[in-house]
Amino acid sequence: MYEKYWQQMGDKTTVVIPGWQYMSYFSDISNICWFLEPEFAKQVVRLHKVVGNAVTDGRHIVVGTGSSQLYLAALFALSPSDASEPISVVSQAPYYSSYPSMTDCLKSGLYKWAGEAQNFSKEGPYIELVTSPNNPDGTARHSVVNRNKGILLHDLAYYWPQYTPISSPADHELMLFTVSKSTGHAGMRIGWAIVKDKEVAKRMTKFVELNTIGVSKDSQIRAAKVLKAVSDPYEHVDDSEVGETFFDFSYHSMAERWKLLREAVEHSGMFSLPKFPPAFCTFFNQVSEPRPAFAWLKCENDIEDCETFLRGHKILTRGGKHFGVGPMYVRVSMLDRDENFIRFVKRLSTIRV
Amino acid sequence: MYEKYWQQMGDKTTVVIPGWQYMSYFSDISNICWFLEPEFAKQVVRLHKVVGNAVTDGRHIVVGTGSSQLYLAALFALSPSDASEPISVVSQAPYYSSYPSMTDCLKSGLYKWAGEAQNFSKEGPYIELVTSPNNPDGTARHSVVNRNKGILLHDLAYYWPQYTPISSPADHELMLFTVSKSTGHAGMRIGWAIVKDKEVAKRMTKFVELNTIGVSKDSQIRAAKVLKAVSDPYEHVDDSEVGETFFDFSYHSMAERWKLLREAVEHSGMFSLPKFPPAFCTFFNQVSEPRPAFAWLKCENDIEDCETFLRGHKILTRGGKHFGVGPMYVRVSMLDRDENFIRFVKRLSTIRV
């Protein structure tokens, strides 16, 4: 979906990197995160101020090879290093399908996936993962365990104005973001963490050092240029040739797609979608409904396995069991290219019992 | 050291990436390693054929965020997934100082650092890491445990003609390489594995997927361009403007540096260096001595802690204990910029009892 926008922007976000630049492991040895490119850090902070979706003052930025790496870095940093058993990692279902396998991939003695947060009853410390807006179902989320010794990790990959009304700057201990969801550049593999605690930022940096000795300089430089192009029009830099702003484009694209999807679901009568309460968005200065990056579709009419049912109608989705819930649910991406999205809603709308 | 060469090459390895390119997670879904850029894979295979340092026919290429990530991916892929205890990972000392901490960082239940390979006597399966030429001491290495149930992992980061005579194309089960040591582009964070077994390649790919969902496309594209520029003159592409070839430049730079270092060591009389046997290099078609990327310096004259001693003379090194041996040894990089290297040998040469 975003490709079209960046094509319209032409050369504005083209990067040119000579062969002799960015050869070193190091970016800024005075920074805790010594492999963080200063220009990328600057554009991250600037974009959060433009959008108003996260507090950055007095925080540490840690860059990662996508927010995936930062999720693992955060688990490493937040786990007690001297515990006799791994700390439990929980999240309210439905949760992002990759979190269990990422967490348990190496059978770590530091942390362990413990599943659905609402059933969690074990005494002692735990890490609760809060994804808001949530992947897969798009709902606004808060911690649900709310006990002593809980450590919160906020995945805010989708807390951008094209997906949800921005209510206030998020102000949590540890927040994860990524360019793949904010601007659509998944191939860059660039994410960032906003971290309150200095020791946590240090340990996350240590993890990335032991995991990949830093993060691609080329992609950090390119990401900086893209984030700059997003912010510039809002701060009236380069007024001469402002076309549609990035968030106007993406807000309207998402709104149009959700309209088409809801029409298709209504036309078919076989499915249902979550309802989202409208809320005031401080960025757009208006009340609007959430428009999540995924549709969390439920099969009605006693269809038990929605993924298999839809595959029979040439619609590829990911079934609910991957997300910790039942097979009557599926997740569908709302960010595919126009032609694929149109094909999807057409197929969906014609499904009958 | 390599920066100077790439500056001389001017625009030849400049990459230009428009904002709308390489946005997807995917590179080639028909490949086992679905995030591997085809052009990068092509240039990797081509360079190995030009240099003659590794067999690539019928092998799988897996790209990683540096060879560090591929080391971890290899441990994941080679460890039995159903074992009751973690598999032992061993290597002959002195070994690369980061291997123990990378291996044990997450207290994995799959694998565990078991230290010096020559003392290893435990029954059952094990992974032996063979780094050749070796980091830190530059020697040619072979496996030393040589028992049943041993799995070999070859780190060949330094098996390039500027560092060591190429005797024949390496032909092991799993071999790791990286641009940071071959062309000097550490900041790209690009490494590659050459893998015989299809299932191992699949599991390594799965690890990179769970760790970082692939590898920066931008850096893969840039690395492809750099590797192409290295190979082109040897295949008489772009004959018009060939300057010094990459391996001629880097061979001569390393030879000159080792000459200066040996002179400084002789002048001081306080240190010793390994002696390397000359051998025939199939790439340069001549007999030559190894010129490792690190100097493995030994303090003589009863100096017990060589690292501290040298720090007193404003020379920063890494002490032997990090590499599994005694503190009379230190590792010094031979790849720093000219001015730093010259300063280092000058300081070293004037040290007296």
Side-chain angles (χ1 to χ4, degrees):
Chain A
M1 185 185 92
Y2 295 111
E3 195 180 55
K4 202 167 74 179
Y5 180 78
W6 296 114
Q7 281 170 341
Q8 286 168 14
M9 291 299 107
D11 284 345
K12 235 176 217 168
T13 53
T14 299
V15 287
V16 178
I17 306 180
W20 47 270
Q21 276 195 346
Y22 309 114
M23 292 185 67
S24 170
Y25 286 106
F26 301 98
S27 294
D28 176 6
I29 53 166
S30 72
N31 196 309
I32 286 176
C33 187
W34 50 266
F35 47 78
L36 171 62
E37 281 295 317
E39 177 64 17
F40 174 69
K42 182 180 146 189
Q43 295 300 337
V44 160
V45 167
R46 182 181 173 217
L47 183 61
H48 283 302
K49 285 191 196 299
V50 163
V51 174
N53 63 338
V55 174
T56 54
D57 289 347
R59 309 301 166 91
H60 304 279
I61 309 280
V62 179
V63 65
T65 309
S67 60
S68 298
Q69 186 178 38
L70 293 168
Y71 169 68
L72 296 170
L75 293 187
F76 172 76
L78 299 173
S79 300
S81 54
D82 54 352
S84 59
E85 55 168 8
I87 191 169
S88 297
V89 181
V90 300
S91 189
Q92 184 184 352
Y95 40 69
Y96 174 38
S97 54
S98 292
Y99 278 132
S101 46
M102 289 173 70
T103 309
D104 287 344
C105 165
L106 296 179
K107 297 186 180 175
S108 173
L110 299 178
Y111 49 76
K112 192 178 164 61
W113 184 254
E116 165 64 276
Q118 291 189 305
N119 301 337
F120 183 69
S121 59
K122 204 176 158 194
E123 280 306 305
Y126 63 92
I127 296 172
E128 182 177 353
L129 179 58
V130 180
T131 307
S132 185
N134 192 39
N135 173 359
D137 69 357
T139 55
R141 282 287 180 84
H142 301 278
S143 64
V144 297
V145 183
N146 264 328
R147 278 213 317 266
N148 269 340
K149 301 190 186 170
I151 302 168
L152 297 183
L153 168 50
H154 280 81
D155 181 347
L156 303 186
Y158 302 96
Y159 192 48
W160 294 100
Q162 66 268 47
Y163 303 125
T164 198
I166 302 300
S167 54
S168 64
D171 184 15
H172 307 288
E173 282 288 328
L174 204 169
M175 305 184 279
L176 304 183
F177 290 93
T178 164
V179 290
S180 72
K181 309 311 173 201
S182 50
T183 71
H185 291 88
M188 287 183 187
R189 309 311 310 123
I190 292 289
W192 64 95
I194 303 176
V195 186
K196 253 188 203 171
D197 187 84
K198 190 176 174 177
E199 293 309 310
V200 171
K202 275 186 190 171
R203 277 181 63 80
M204 289 182 71
T205 299
K206 187 71 194 172
F207 177 85
V208 177
E209 181 189 326
L210 289 171
N211 196 216
T212 57
I213 324 187
V215 174
S216 164
K217 303 275 174 284
D218 312 312
S219 288
Q220 288 188 65
I221 294 305
R222 191 171 171 223
K225 193 143 189 178
V226 168
L227 298 188
K228 181 176 184 298
V230 173
S231 292
D232 277 354
Y234 298 104
E235 295 192 330
H236 308 292
V237 181
D238 191 18
D239 257 345
S240 54
E241 25 167 352
V242 175
E244 199 176 12
T245 60
F246 176 76
F247 291 116
D248 275 359
F249 167 88
S250 47
Y251 173 97
H252 290 127
S253 302
M254 292 306 294
E256 174 66 14
R257 286 177 174 213
W258 272 92
K259 184 170 155 279
L260 292 173
L261 177 65
R262 290 202 186 274
E263 284 169 5
V265 163
E266 193 173 337
H267 192 258
S268 161
M270 293 283 290
F271 309 98
S272 65
L273 283 168
K275 283 271 170 201
F276 302 105
F280 185 76
C281 176
T282 57
F283 179 76
F284 285 122
N285 239 328
Q286 63 181 33
V287 170
S288 67
E289 273 178 30
R291 301 151 304 280
F294 296 105
W296 186 237
L297 205 62
K298 189 182 176 193
C299 272
E300 304 288 351
N301 299 42
D302 296 325
I303 294 161
E304 275 177 21
D305 183 341
C306 194
E307 182 179 352
T308 306
F309 176 75
L310 284 170
R311 199 183 307 122
H313 291 86
K314 291 189 183 174
I315 297 175
L316 294 178
T317 65
R318 201 157 167 74
K321 68 182 188 316
H322 297 289
F323 305 90
V325 297
M328 70 288 283
Y329 290 96
V330 295
R331 189 188 80 168
V332 192
S333 172
M334 296 292 287
L335 302 179
D336 209 335
R337 289 200 176 101
D338 279 343
E339 59 271 30
N340 294 335
F341 183 78
I342 296 299
R343 201 175 297 138
F344 155 60
V345 288
K346 274 196 180 151
R347 285 182 185 163
L348 196 75
S349 70
T350 58
I351 295 176
R352 293 287 180 284
V353 187
Chain B
M1 185 185 92
Y2 295 110
E3 195 181 56
K4 203 167 73 179
Y5 180 79
W6 296 114
Q7 280 170 342
Q8 287 168 13
M9 290 300 105
D11 284 346
K12 234 175 219 169
T13 54
T14 299
V15 287
V16 178
I17 306 179
W20 46 270
Q21 275 195 346
Y22 309 114
M23 292 186 68
S24 169
Y25 287 105
F26 301 97
S27 294
D28 176 5
I29 53 167
S30 72
N31 195 310
I32 286 176
C33 186
W34 50 266
F35 46 78
L36 170 63
E37 281 294 318
E39 177 63 15
F40 174 69
K42 180 180 147 190
Q43 295 301 337
V44 160
V45 168
R46 182 179 174 219
L47 183 61
H48 283 302
K49 284 192 197 299
V50 163
V51 174
N53 63 338
V55 173
T56 54
D57 289 347
R59 310 302 165 90
H60 305 279
I61 309 280
V62 180
V63 64
T65 309
S67 61
S68 298
Q69 186 177 40
L70 293 169
Y71 169 67
L72 296 169
L75 292 188
F76 172 76
L78 299 174
S79 300
S81 54
D82 53 352
S84 59
E85 54 167 9
I87 191 169
S88 296
V89 181
V90 299
S91 189
Q92 184 185 352
Y95 39 70
Y96 174 37
S97 55
S98 291
Y99 278 132
S101 47
M102 289 172 70
T103 309
D104 286 346
C105 166
L106 297 179
K107 297 185 181 177
S108 173
L110 299 178
Y111 49 77
K112 190 179 165 59
W113 184 254
E116 165 64 277
Q118 291 189 304
N119 302 336
F120 184 69
S121 60
K122 204 175 159 195
E123 280 305 305
Y126 63 92
I127 296 172
E128 182 177 353
L129 178 58
V130 180
T131 306
S132 185
N134 191 40
N135 173 0
D137 68 358
T139 55
R141 282 287 181 81
H142 301 278
S143 64
V144 296
V145 183
N146 264 328
R147 279 213 316 266
N148 269 339
K149 300 189 185 169
I151 303 168
L152 297 183
L153 168 51
H154 280 81
D155 180 348
L156 303 186
Y158 302 97
Y159 193 48
W160 294 99
Q162 66 267 47
Y163 303 126
T164 198
I166 302 301
S167 54
S168 64
D171 185 16
H172 306 288
E173 280 288 327
L174 203 168
M175 305 184 278
L176 304 182
F177 290 92
T178 163
V179 289
S180 72
K181 310 310 174 201
S182 50
T183 71
H185 291 88
M188 286 182 187
R189 311 309 311 120
I190 292 289
W192 64 95
I194 303 176
V195 186
K196 253 187 203 171
D197 188 85
K198 190 176 175 177
E199 292 309 310
V200 171
K202 274 186 188 169
R203 277 182 63 80
M204 289 182 71
T205 299
K206 187 70 193 173
F207 177 86
V208 176
E209 180 189 328
L210 290 171
N211 195 217
T212 57
I213 324 187
V215 174
S216 163
K217 302 276 175 282
D218 312 312
S219 288
Q220 287 189 65
I221 294 304
R222 193 173 168 222
K225 192 142 189 178
V226 168
L227 298 189
K228 181 176 184 298
V230 172
S231 293
D232 276 354
Y234 299 104
E235 294 193 329
H236 308 291
V237 181
D238 191 18
D239 257 345
S240 54
E241 22 165 355
V242 175
E244 199 177 13
T245 61
F246 176 75
F247 291 116
D248 274 358
F249 168 88
S250 47
Y251 173 96
H252 289 127
S253 302
M254 293 305 293
E256 175 66 13
R257 285 176 174 214
W258 272 92
K259 184 170 154 280
L260 292 173
L261 177 65
R262 291 204 186 270
E263 284 168 4
V265 163
E266 194 174 334
H267 193 259
S268 161
M270 295 282 291
F271 309 97
S272 65
L273 283 168
K275 283 273 171 200
F276 302 106
F280 185 75
C281 176
T282 57
F283 179 74
F284 286 122
N285 238 328
Q286 62 180 35
V287 171
S288 67
E289 274 178 28
R291 300 149 305 278
F294 296 106
W296 185 237
L297 205 62
K298 189 181 175 194
C299 274
E300 303 288 350
N301 300 41
D302 297 327
I303 295 160
E304 275 178 20
D305 184 339
C306 193
E307 181 178 353
T308 306
F309 176 75
L310 284 170
R311 200 185 305 122
H313 290 86
K314 291 190 182 170
I315 296 174
L316 294 178
T317 64
R318 202 159 166 73
K321 65 181 189 317
H322 297 289
F323 304 90
V325 297
M328 68 290 281
Y329 290 96
V330 295
R331 190 188 79 169
V332 192
S333 172
M334 296 292 288
L335 301 180
D336 208 336
R337 288 198 176 101
D338 279 342
E339 58 271 27
N340 294 335
F341 183 78
I342 297 298
R343 202 176 295 137
F344 155 60
V345 287
K346 274 195 179 152
R347 284 181 187 165
L348 196 75
S349 70
T350 59
I351 295 175
R352 294 287 179 284
V353 188

